[in-house]
Amino acid sequence: MWRLDLDNIREEIDKLDKQLAKILEARLTLVSKVAVYKKERGISVKDAKREEMVINRVISQLENEEFIPAVKNIMHNIIDVACEMEEGVLKKQNQYTLKIACFGPPGSFTHQALEDYFAGQDYKRYYYNLSEEVIAAVSSGELDYGVLPIENSSTGGITEVYDLLRHYECSIVGERCIKIEQNLLACPGATLNTVIKVYSHPQGFAQSKGFFRDHPHMEQIPYFSTSKSAETVAEKKDITLAAVGGKKAAELYGLKVLAENINYNCNNFTRFVIIGKEQEIIIGADKITLVLAVKHEAGSLYKVLGYFNHGGLNLMNLESRPMDGKSWEYFFHIDLMGNLADPAVRDALEDIQLNCTFFKILGNYRADCQKE
């Protein structure tokens, strides 16, 4: 006589739950779009006629009428959660004043990226001199978002930020690309001949190495940020000092531009990431950032990269970072195109995770910086 096998039944339920999770995630993504649509047109969140129509349509698809009461109850709960989510989105957009951490003082390129990304929203800025201070403030929930430089088109990735994102519990929710034009800034009365010491973030020096090769008498002094460098030079009022920075910083701190566009690459952009404490459902998200590690054995990285290829995932960037305490072993930070609500993307990433010793999705967001 045939008997029920509880383990087999639970295995089938687990398979269906996996499909259900993807369907629910896709539905909630669409709910976020509905919230934006209603906000733009002033439509109320609750719509009783629409809710009744949705429930009746679902019930009509059932073959077993005994399940109708249970499915009705489930759909009511789903719709209630969706409405609550829509109201949360509207409340956040309309009433709440965001608290945003900015790397560097006013006048920095990060400051510019922040203003571009959050244009039209109500927010208050908080300035920090260290990248870790920004990430810690967001990870702890003290502030809502943070803005940090992570990569430059001329000098590559900013390794400290990659390491911090891996260590802290936070998520990338957006990005902004800003064209960088570095200038030599100094106090009124200074000239190229009077300047003997120059302050800048190391990235500013790296982007302007040709200029300093032509002016070997200028000592390069690494500092917190280009904007902090400009602020310090302005405070000291010393014609022997200068800073590498943007024209916005010059205007803000009353400095003059001794030399314009000293960066050697005229097509010089910096990519800034916007981080939040939690991963967010972003409408139109098409870029994923993750970090992984593989076994320290021949062919392990090649095998994992093969899953990206088989899954049709387009890699945009790959940065390696050494593991603490393990010689010649690395974490790999990867940017790829895709949306986590796409079942094909989720399946491919699950296969990749199974072949990794470490795997963490850092965010799914809308791309602003495209690489050819």
Side-chain angles (χ1 to χ4, degrees):
M1 180 179 177
W2 181 81
R3 300 176 62 183
L4 293 175
D5 188 314
L6 183 59
D7 289 338
N8 287 340
I9 295 172
R10 286 175 172 172
E11 185 175 344
E12 290 300 313
I13 290 175
D14 290 343
K15 290 179 182 178
L16 291 173
D17 285 345
K18 183 177 179 181
Q19 297 175 34
L20 183 60
K22 294 177 181 178
I23 292 170
L24 290 174
E25 187 170 31
R27 195 183 197 283
L28 291 174
T29 299
L30 295 174
V31 166
S32 297
K33 295 182 180 180
V34 170
V36 174
Y37 181 93
K38 289 181 177 179
K39 176 181 181 297
E40 292 174 347
R41 291 160 178 79
I43 302 173
S44 62
V45 169
K46 299 291 288 184
D47 186 344
K49 288 185 178 180
R50 165 67 181 170
E51 293 172 13
E52 183 179 358
M53 182 180 68
V54 169
I55 293 172
N56 288 336
R57 183 185 297 126
V58 172
I59 289 173
S60 70
Q61 304 297 315
L62 297 175
E63 295 180 2
N64 190 336
E65 293 184 355
E66 293 181 3
F67 295 156
I68 289 178
V71 172
K72 268 190 176 181
N73 188 38
I74 291 170
M75 288 307 301
H76 277 300
N77 287 334
I78 288 175
I79 290 173
D80 288 342
V81 170
C83 290
E84 184 179 346
M85 181 176 170
E86 287 182 36
E87 290 171 348
V89 170
L90 297 178
K91 181 179 179 181
K92 188 173 183 179
Q93 290 183 344
N94 293 336
Q95 299 178 7
Y96 185 68
T97 298
L98 296 172
K99 296 179 289 186
I100 306 174
C102 180
F103 171 70
S108 66
F109 293 112
T110 313
H111 181 177
Q112 182 181 340
L114 186 158
E115 291 189 337
D116 284 359
Y117 186 85
F118 291 98
Q121 298 189 52
D122 187 18
Y123 61 83
K124 184 177 180 181
R125 293 183 296 268
Y126 297 80
Y127 299 99
Y128 295 88
N129 289 326
L130 300 176
S131 298
E132 186 165 13
E133 291 175 336
V134 171
I135 295 181
V138 174
S139 180
S140 68
E142 179 184 349
L143 301 183
D144 298 299
Y145 297 104
V147 184
L148 288 163
I150 194 171
E151 182 184 6
N152 180 264
S153 60
S154 298
T155 57
I158 300 174
T159 56
E160 177 193 16
V161 176
Y162 279 111
D163 292 339
L164 290 170
L165 287 174
R166 187 177 67 252
H167 285 301
Y168 279 87
E169 290 303 318
C170 58
S171 180
I172 300 174
V173 300
E175 70 175 10
R176 183 64 79 229
C177 277
I178 299 293
K179 187 170 185 179
I180 307 298
E181 293 182 345
Q182 301 287 14
N183 308 275
L184 189 69
L185 314 178
C187 295
T191 67
L192 289 176
N193 292 328
T194 66
V195 172
I196 58 175
K197 291 184 179 181
V198 181
Y199 292 88
S200 175
H201 187 277
Q203 287 282 317
F205 287 134
Q207 294 162 19
S208 311
K209 57 187 178 183
F211 175 83
F212 289 102
R213 185 169 55 244
D214 296 336
H215 297 80
H217 68 283
M218 295 182 182
E219 180 186 356
Q220 299 173 43
I221 303 176
Y223 212 52
F224 296 110
S225 66
T226 54
S227 50
K228 185 65 177 178
S229 299
E231 181 184 37
T232 299
V233 169
E235 289 175 349
K236 291 180 179 296
K237 296 182 174 60
D238 186 339
I239 62 172
T240 68
L241 304 179
V244 174
K247 291 182 179 179
K248 187 171 185 177
E251 295 172 4
L252 186 63
Y253 297 114
L255 301 175
K256 72 173 185 176
V257 177
L258 293 185
E260 291 185 322
N261 299 336
I262 63 174
N263 41 280
Y264 66 89
N265 185 355
C266 62
N267 191 33
N268 185 27
F269 288 83
T270 291
R271 173 188 171 214
F272 296 85
V273 290
I274 291 79
I275 60 170
K277 181 173 175 57
E278 305 290 344
Q279 196 170 116
E280 296 183 359
I281 297 174
I282 307 294
I283 298 171
D286 57 0
K287 189 172 183 178
I288 299 168
T289 295
L290 56 87
V291 56
L292 57 83
V294 296
K295 293 180 181 178
H296 188 41
E297 60 186 34
S300 57
L301 179 60
Y302 176 82
K303 181 180 179 180
V304 166
L305 292 178
Y307 284 106
F308 286 98
N309 179 48
H310 298 321
L313 302 180
N314 181 23
L315 297 188
M316 307 297 292
N317 187 40
L318 190 153
E319 294 270 350
S320 64
R321 297 292 302 133
M323 291 185 180
D324 293 337
K326 294 185 178 181
S327 299
W328 317 121
E329 295 191 45
Y330 300 89
F331 289 106
F332 298 95
H333 291 256
I334 298 173
D335 296 329
L336 61 135
M337 302 309 294
N339 189 301
L340 292 175
D342 183 344
V345 173
R346 292 296 296 266
D347 288 343
L349 293 180
E350 286 175 6
D351 288 336
I352 292 166
Q353 183 173 2
L354 290 174
N355 289 274
C356 294
T357 57
F358 179 90
F359 182 91
K360 181 180 181 181
I361 294 175
L362 296 179
N364 189 194
Y365 49 96
R366 284 192 297 268
D368 184 57
C369 314
Q370 298 284 1
K371 296 184 180 181
E372 299 299 331

